[in-house]
Amino acid sequence: MSQQVSPETLRSALQSLAARLGKTPTVVDMYEKGKYAPKRYQEVFGGWNEALEAAGLDPEEMGSKRIPDRELLAELQRLYTELGKPPTQRDMTERGEYSNRTYQLRFGSWSKALQEAMLDTNDGISEAELLREIERLADELGRAPKAAEMDERGEYAPVTYHRRFGSWRQALTEADLDGDRQCVSNDELLAALRELADELGEPPTTEDVRERGTYSLRIYYDRFDSFSAAREQALNE
């Protein structure tokens, strides 16, 4: 009997394969280059398309020809010229030629794609606008958003918040959404690291926490003496 693999592990492996390929994987891609057999996905999710959707991938892009990086970056620069500001993910959806997900898979995140295109993510955006977008996303989610959720669903890149406010957590504080910092438990801190590891498909680094983490590095140092100790505890529980 084959060893049981959790849906979370399968999703993470599928997302990692998509990131390596730069496109939505086919069943053949998984069979030839993936960590788990396609049959595992059919058993757990009921079908390949269902597995792709569970992993946040678009089945309609499956097997499509790989778009050169220079074309993806040129499209960002074209939108920049058209809009007079760095394009948001919504701008790409409404006016661009490619999907947001393609940029996230190819470059790691929307903000990294903007950096690769040498676009200044701070141009023309006021602090008030940045905070209003956090509040809008918080209303949509019913709670304080994570940096990764801003990257996936928000108007602006998390790196903009880090540059402008010093950290994602400080941006939440400025938006009056950081009321749980003092009462957050160690279990919640460790769970946040595990969630980040699942999103990335690998153990998070300090840079990952700065850019995409729910909590600041400082609180991990305060509670666990070092980030590496916190990460080891989170991933070995």
Side-chain angles (χ1 to χ4, degrees):
M1 181 180 294
S2 61
Q3 185 178 1
Q4 290 289 336
V5 182
S6 71
E8 292 77 13
T9 299
L10 290 172
R11 280 198 297 268
S12 178
L14 185 50
Q15 290 163 347
S16 295
L17 178 60
R20 294 202 308 273
L21 297 175
K23 67 180 182 69
T24 299
T26 64
V27 172
V28 174
D29 290 328
M30 178 56 71
Y31 181 79
E32 294 180 346
K33 302 175 183 178
K35 186 174 182 180
Y36 301 103
K39 183 178 179 181
R40 290 283 185 90
Y41 289 88
Q42 185 172 3
E43 292 170 348
V44 173
F45 298 100
W48 185 249
N49 283 358
E50 288 78 5
L52 292 175
E53 291 173 354
L57 302 172
D58 186 356
E60 292 184 3
E61 294 182 1
M62 185 169 49
S64 59
K65 185 178 179 180
R66 182 182 174 91
I67 304 163
D69 286 1
R70 64 180 180 276
E71 291 186 18
L72 293 172
L73 299 176
E75 180 64 2
L76 285 177
Q77 292 161 349
R78 183 192 70 77
L79 283 176
Y80 180 89
T81 300
E82 177 183 314
L83 298 168
K85 66 178 182 67
T88 65
Q89 295 189 72
R90 185 173 300 171
D91 292 328
M92 181 59 71
T93 298
E94 295 176 352
R95 305 185 181 206
E97 186 169 345
Y98 307 114
S99 75
N100 304 339
R101 191 64 183 168
T102 298
Y103 286 90
Q104 292 170 359
L105 290 172
R106 189 69 60 83
F107 300 101
S109 71
W110 183 254
S111 59
K112 289 179 181 177
L114 291 178
Q115 290 174 358
E116 193 71 21
M118 295 183 291
L119 301 180
D120 186 349
T121 56
N122 288 328
D123 277 357
I125 305 171
S126 69
E127 290 189 2
E129 288 176 300
L130 293 171
L131 295 177
R132 277 197 296 271
E133 180 59 8
I134 286 184
E135 292 162 358
R136 183 199 67 77
L137 190 54
D139 287 341
E140 180 181 309
L141 296 170
R143 57 173 172 76
K146 300 176 183 178
E149 291 167 333
M150 176 61 72
D151 200 23
E152 292 174 2
R153 304 169 65 170
E155 283 285 338
Y156 307 116
V159 66
T160 301
Y161 289 89
H162 283 268
R163 288 175 178 172
R164 191 67 63 84
F165 298 99
S167 70
W168 177 251
R169 180 56 59 179
Q170 185 59 36
L172 292 180
T173 298
E174 294 292 332
D176 293 327
L177 292 172
D178 192 30
D180 64 339
R181 190 174 79 85
Q182 296 300 327
C183 63
V184 63
S185 68
N186 286 3
D187 287 342
E188 289 173 308
L189 292 171
L190 297 175
L193 286 182
R194 285 191 289 271
E195 287 180 12
L196 184 56
D198 288 341
E199 290 171 8
L200 297 169
E202 60 185 5
T205 65
T206 55
E207 188 64 24
D208 292 326
V209 173
R210 286 193 189 96
E211 291 192 357
R212 303 174 65 90
T214 303
Y215 304 104
S216 69
L217 280 172
R218 180 57 182 269
I219 195 169
Y220 286 102
Y221 286 115
D222 288 345
R223 297 286 185 87
F224 301 94
D225 295 329
S226 72
F227 173 71
S228 58
R231 181 176 58 190
E232 182 177 357
Q233 185 173 336
L235 300 183
N236 289 330
E237 284 189 348

